[in-house]
Amino acid sequence: MANVSLERITKIYNNDFEAVHQIDLEIADGEFMVLVGPSGCGKTTVLRMVAGLEEITSGILRIGDRVVNNLSPKDRDIAMVFQNYALYPHMTVGENIGFGLKMRKLGKDEIQRKVRDATAILGLDDWIDRKPGQLSGGQRQRVAMGRAIVRDPSVFLMDEPLSNLDAKLRVHMRAEVSRIQRRLGAPTMYVTHDQTEAMTMGDRVAVLLSGNVQQCDAPQNLYDHPDNLFVAAFIGSPSMNLYEAHFADDGTRLLLGSQSLSLPERIRAARPGLAAYSGRKIIIGLRPEHLPLAGPVDDQVLCGDVDLVEALGSELLVHFTIDAQRVRAEAADEEEEDQFAGRGAGVARVDPRLPIKPGDAVRFAVDVDRMQFFDPATTKAIWA
Amino acid sequence: MLASDRRLGYALVAPTVIVLVVITGYPLAYNLWNSFHHYVVTSGQPATFNGLANYARLFHGQSFLPALENTAGFTVVSVVLETAIGLALALALNRPFRGRGAVRAAVFIPWAVPTVVSGMLWKSMFDPQQGFVNYVLRVLHLPGGHVTWLANTGTAWGAILVADAWRNTPFMAILLLAGLQVIPSEIYEAARIDGATAWQSFRRITLPMLKPALMVALIFRTLSAFLIYDVVYAMTSGGPGSSTDVLSYLDWRAFLVQSDFGYGGAVAVFLIIVCLAIAAAYVRAFRVETVR
C-alpha cells in the first residue's frame, strides 16, 4: 500500500495540444480519489499517465517513495479497470482474472487460490468457466474488477468503469465498488464524468476542466463551498441556479432583472469582499433546494413563472423563468443547460405535495444566507 | 412463421438457387460424369462408360503422383512462408507511423497484378543474361550471379516460390491486418498492466484473437496454392523436364492438349475433393477456439 503523488504533471501531445497542465494531486493511502469533469478535461489522460500507458511530458509521479515516471506499467504495481472492461474474449473468467498472475509466473495452485478468492468477493464463483461473451454487462464489470483486485496492487485506477451499465445496475455497482475498495484499502483513482458518482464514491473529488484542477476537496465541501463558477455549476443535480445580478450602489440590495433582494448586514459583514462590487455586476448562485415556496411572512422573495414540473416522488423539481439573465458556466452539464436554456431559467426543489402546475406564477423564498457570489470576470467565488 | 411467409422466402431465394445450380451444379455434374467415361473429344468417338479406369490411371500413370508431390510440397512451403511474412507485414502495418496509409497501399500493389503478368515479370527478372536478379547479384559480388534459375529443379522451385510469395503475401497481409484491426487497443493496454511482455501479448492475445481471420486467410491461401497454375505456366511450363509440374497444369494439359475429358475430369474431381477436405480440416481445427 502506498500513497500516490502527482507533482506539476503535464501532458503535451505531439500536436502541441496540452491536455494536462501542471497538476498537483496527493492521494493518501486508502483514499478514494475521484477525478471528475466534462469530456476532454484531461481526467482520463491523468489516469493513463499514472498507469504508465501515456508518457508524462513533465512533472514527477510518485507511488510510495518511488518516482515511477519512467517505469513500465507492469513495474508500477498498479491495476486498472477500463471503461469497456477490456476483457480477453478468448479466455474464461478464471483465465481473465488469473492472467496477470500467470504473467508474473506464480504457481498454478497459488493462481487458482487467488482467483477463487477474487471470484468469491465478487460473487463470480458460478461463472468462472464462462467466457466474457456469455456474461451480462454487470458480470463483465465484475470480472474487470476481479482482474484488478486479484493482484493486490498498491494502487487502483478506474476509468469510467460503470458508464456502460444501465442506470439501476450503476447505482448498485457504485456501492459495490466502494465496498470493495474499502475492504482492500488501496488508494484509488477513479475517473468519471458523472458528478453523482463523484459525490457518492469519492473521499475527495478533484474537479477538472481544460487540463487544470479547478478544486479538490471532500464532496460536501465542493457542494457547499465551490471555488468557482464551474465547480458550482458542475457539482450538484439539478445544477446551481446562476444569475447575473447588479449590486446597488450602497451595497445593500441586489437587483435581478426587475426584482430585488436585500442583503442583510450579517452577510455583508461575513463577506467584506462583497463591498468592492457595490454598483457593479456580480453573479449569484442559488441551489435548487434553497428556493422553497414563500409563505406570507417571507420578505426575501423571487417571483417566477412555472414552465414545467417534474414529480420525483421524494421531491418536486419546479422549472421556472425569471426576468434576470442566467449565467452559463463553461462546459457544465450541457444537456441540463440546454433543456431550459431560455433567459432566466431556473430550478427549485420543493415539497412534492405542493399543487404547482405549469403556467403558475410562484413566489420562492430566497435563503440569502446560503446564496453564493462569484466575480463575473474571474468566475472565482467570493467567500471573504 | 406463417406458411405464406415461408412461400415468399422460398420464392425470394429461388432465383439465386437456380443460377447457382446452372453455373456451378451443372459443370460439376458434367465433369463427374466425364470422369467415369472414356471420352476424348477430338477422337470423334462418343463417350463410353469405363467405370473407375480414369481414376486408376491417376495412380498408375507416370505424371500424376510426381505432380501431386510437387503440388503438396509447394502448398505447404508457400503457405507457411506467405503466412509468416504476411503476418509480419500486417503487424508492422498495424502500428501507427507517419505515412502509414501510403505504405499500406504500396504493399498491396503486387496483389493487384494479374498472376500471369507477375509470372512473366518474374520470369524476365530471373533471366540469366538480362534478368534483374542476376544483375543485382553480380553488381553486389554475391554468389549466384550466373545461375540459370529456371533451368534447375531446385532453383526453379525457388523462383516460383519467390514470384508466388511476391504476388500473394499482400493478400495474406490484408486479411490479417483486418483481423488485427478489430482487436481493441484497450485489450493490449490491459495486458501491459497485467505484466505481459510484447511477446506474451502477441502469443496470448494477438494470435488467439486473430484466429478467425487467420482461418479465412489460410483457407483461401491454401486452396489457391494447391490449385497453382498460372505462375508455373508462365515461368517454367512445368520444366525443367516435369520437375515443376503441378496438378492444375497437368489437368489443363489433359483437357486442352490431349482433349481427354475423362482423365482430365478425374483429375478435376480429385482436386475438388482435396480442396473440400482442406477447407473442412481448417474449419474443424479452428472451430473449438472460435466459439464465443
Side-chain angles (χ1 to χ4, degrees):
Chain A
M1 301 296 152
N3 59 321
V4 181
S5 139
L6 288 76
E7 205 179 305
R8 298 211 312 282
I9 293 286
T10 296
K11 176 69 190 181
I12 301 172
Y13 283 104
N14 287 337
N15 58 5
D16 289 336
F17 173 68
E18 188 177 36
V20 174
H21 177 74
Q22 302 204 345
I23 279 187
D24 292 307
L25 275 179
E26 280 283 336
I27 298 102
D29 197 1
E31 187 176 28
F32 198 115
M33 169 70 83
V34 175
L35 306 181
V36 68
S39 310
C41 71
K43 55 192 189 295
T44 295
T45 308
V46 171
L47 197 75
R48 290 172 58 85
M49 284 193 284
V50 176
L53 296 172
E54 206 83 66
E55 214 175 298
I56 297 170
T57 310
S58 67
I60 298 166
L61 172 66
R62 285 191 186 84
I63 295 176
D65 300 327
R66 293 190 304 168
V67 173
V68 299
N69 282 45
N70 296 316
L71 291 186
S72 69
K74 70 179 163 69
D75 299 323
R76 294 189 183 194
D77 199 15
I78 45 139
M80 182 158 169
V81 180
F82 291 83
Q83 182 171 6
N84 301 314
Y85 317 138
L87 301 181
Y88 312 123
H90 54 291
M91 299 183 197
T92 64
V93 167
E95 289 166 340
N96 261 285
I97 295 175
F99 186 72
L101 303 176
K102 197 168 168 181
M103 293 300 102
R104 283 171 165 74
K105 308 246 185 303
L106 266 67
K108 252 202 170 104
D109 295 341
E110 196 178 359
I111 293 178
Q112 207 165 41
R113 186 173 53 74
K114 290 192 173 207
V115 169
R116 288 276 169 202
D117 289 348
T119 51
I121 291 175
L122 295 161
L124 283 168
D125 288 330
D126 296 341
W127 306 91
I128 198 158
D129 293 322
R130 302 286 184 104
K131 294 210 170 149
Q134 298 166 298
L135 304 181
S136 70
Q139 289 165 336
R140 285 182 217 182
Q141 215 288 322
R142 280 165 209 261
V143 178
M145 286 291 294
R147 204 165 55 176
I149 66 174
V150 76
R151 291 203 347 250
D152 198 13
S154 302
V155 182
F156 281 120
L157 305 174
M158 304 193 189
D159 185 9
E160 310 218 13
L162 307 183
S163 62
N164 284 349
L165 302 179
D166 64 61
K168 198 168 175 185
L169 198 53
R170 200 177 313 151
V171 173
H172 174 71
M173 286 306 289
R174 226 155 58 192
E176 185 110 350
V177 171
S178 298
R179 180 177 66 81
I180 292 165
Q181 193 269 344
R182 266 200 304 281
R183 175 167 171 172
L184 299 169
T188 300
M189 290 178 79
Y190 184 105
V191 161
T192 180
H193 63 269
D194 179 346
Q195 60 90 26
T196 313
E197 256 173 47
M199 293 291 285
T200 53
M201 299 176 82
D203 292 325
R204 279 192 302 155
V205 176
V207 182
L208 274 77
L209 178 68
S210 317
N212 291 286
V213 174
Q214 302 291 311
Q215 189 174 358
C216 180
D217 213 332
Q220 198 60 50
N221 286 346
L222 284 180
Y223 191 81
D224 293 337
H225 298 283
D227 275 353
N228 61 37
L229 207 53
F230 174 73
V231 175
F234 192 81
I235 298 293
S237 178
S239 290
M240 185 185 280
N241 299 301
L242 295 162
Y243 297 108
E244 210 173 83
H246 192 85
F247 232 129
D249 289 340
D250 61 0
T252 60
R253 296 188 73 71
L254 279 168
L255 307 174
L256 278 120
S258 61
Q259 308 186 51
S260 77
L261 296 168
S262 68
L263 214 53
E265 173 57 32
R266 61 173 190 283
I267 292 178
R268 283 180 280 142
R271 299 179 188 187
L274 287 176
Y277 293 87
S278 296
R280 291 170 54 195
K281 267 190 196 156
I282 193 167
I283 293 169
I284 63 153
L286 287 162
R287 292 276 179 207
E289 60 271 29
H290 300 149
L291 286 171
L293 286 205
V297 295
D298 285 307
D299 54 347
Q300 300 281 50
V301 168
L302 282 177
C303 298
D305 298 321
V306 177
D307 297 318
L308 176 79
V309 176
E310 291 178 297
L312 301 182
S314 61
E315 63 195 27
L316 194 67
L317 295 181
V318 179
H319 294 262
F320 61 86
T321 316
I322 61 173
D323 65 351
Q325 180 68 44
R326 184 176 170 94
V327 175
R328 290 159 148 276
E330 185 183 355
D333 195 339
E334 280 172 22
E335 240 172 82
E336 208 167 298
E337 283 281 296
D338 285 342
Q339 202 176 353
F340 296 98
R343 204 178 134 81
V347 184
R349 179 179 274 148
V350 302
D351 187 323
R353 280 157 196 94
L354 290 170
I356 299 175
K357 311 183 297 297
D360 289 354
V362 174
R363 294 169 72 240
F364 297 102
V366 177
D367 187 348
V368 284
D369 290 284
R370 313 292 287 268
M371 192 150 59
Q372 304 189 355
F373 301 91
F374 303 91
D375 183 296
T378 64
T379 77
K380 290 254 179 278
I382 304 160
W383 287 111
Chain B
M1 201 194 290
L2 291 173
S4 60
D5 284 347
R6 213 172 304 139
R7 271 200 302 279
L8 177 66
Y10 285 128
L12 289 173
V13 297
T16 312
V17 172
I18 290 166
V19 169
L20 279 176
V21 166
V22 171
I23 65 170
T24 309
Y26 175 74
L28 277 174
Y30 179 60
N31 184 63
L32 189 65
W33 186 87
N34 280 342
S35 72
F36 294 113
H37 289 75
H38 177 74
Y39 185 31
V40 177
V41 183
T42 48
S43 69
Q45 305 291 322
T48 52
F49 181 75
N50 67 352
L52 292 172
N54 290 324
Y55 292 94
R57 267 177 72 198
L58 296 186
F59 298 97
H60 295 111
Q62 288 172 6
S63 41
F64 180 82
L65 287 176
L68 173 60
E69 206 174 303
N70 284 344
T71 310
F74 169 81
T75 302
V76 171
V77 176
S78 71
V79 169
V80 169
L81 192 73
E82 288 163 21
T83 306
I85 303 174
L87 181 56
L89 262 179
L91 288 168
L93 293 174
N94 197 37
R95 305 183 73 90
F97 58 87
R98 196 181 285 265
R100 179 170 71 171
V103 174
R104 277 185 184 172
V107 164
F108 299 138
I109 286 174
W111 189 56
V113 177
T115 324
V116 176
V117 175
S118 78
M120 298 306 291
L121 190 77
W122 279 97
K123 187 183 184 185
S124 70
M125 300 249 276
F126 279 111
D127 186 276
Q129 266 80 47
Q130 273 87 47
F132 178 76
V133 174
N134 282 6
Y135 171 76
V136 170
L137 292 174
R138 282 198 299 269
V139 166
L140 297 176
H141 299 290
L142 289 170
H146 298 280
V147 173
T148 49
W149 296 100
L150 300 176
N152 301 297
T153 305
T155 54
W157 270 122
I160 290 172
L161 275 171
V162 168
D164 189 71
W166 180 82
R167 164 70 170 55
N168 290 317
T169 303
F171 175 74
M172 222 44 196
I174 292 178
L175 290 182
L176 296 181
L177 180 60
L180 288 175
Q181 285 175 333
V182 300
I183 305 176
S185 59
E186 275 194 342
I187 289 190
Y188 289 112
E189 292 177 344
R192 277 176 72 194
I193 286 175
D194 269 342
T197 59
W199 167 250
Q200 284 168 326
S201 84
F202 174 73
R203 165 89 186 66
R204 309 248 173 216
I205 311 288
T206 311
L207 272 188
M209 292 192 70
L210 199 56
K211 270 186 176 164
L214 201 57
M215 181 184 81
V216 171
L218 278 173
I219 289 178
F220 275 122
R221 242 354 272 145
T222 308
L223 295 190
S224 86
F226 193 75
L227 297 173
I228 182 179
Y229 162 72
D230 19 20
V231 178
V232 170
Y233 174 78
M235 287 181 76
T236 65
S237 302
S242 61
S243 60
T244 58
D245 198 13
V246 289
L247 290 179
S248 289
Y249 188 51
L250 174 112
D251 201 22
W252 175 81
R253 290 199 312 272
F255 274 111
L256 292 170
V257 179
Q258 294 139 18
S259 304
D260 190 342
F261 277 36
Y263 179 67
V267 175
V269 168
F270 178 85
L271 287 175
I272 291 166
I273 289 170
V274 171
C275 286
L276 288 176
I278 290 171
Y282 274 129
V283 171
R284 198 185 187 82
F286 282 90
R287 186 177 49 196
V288 183
E289 304 293 335
T290 50
V291 164
R292 290 272 190 273

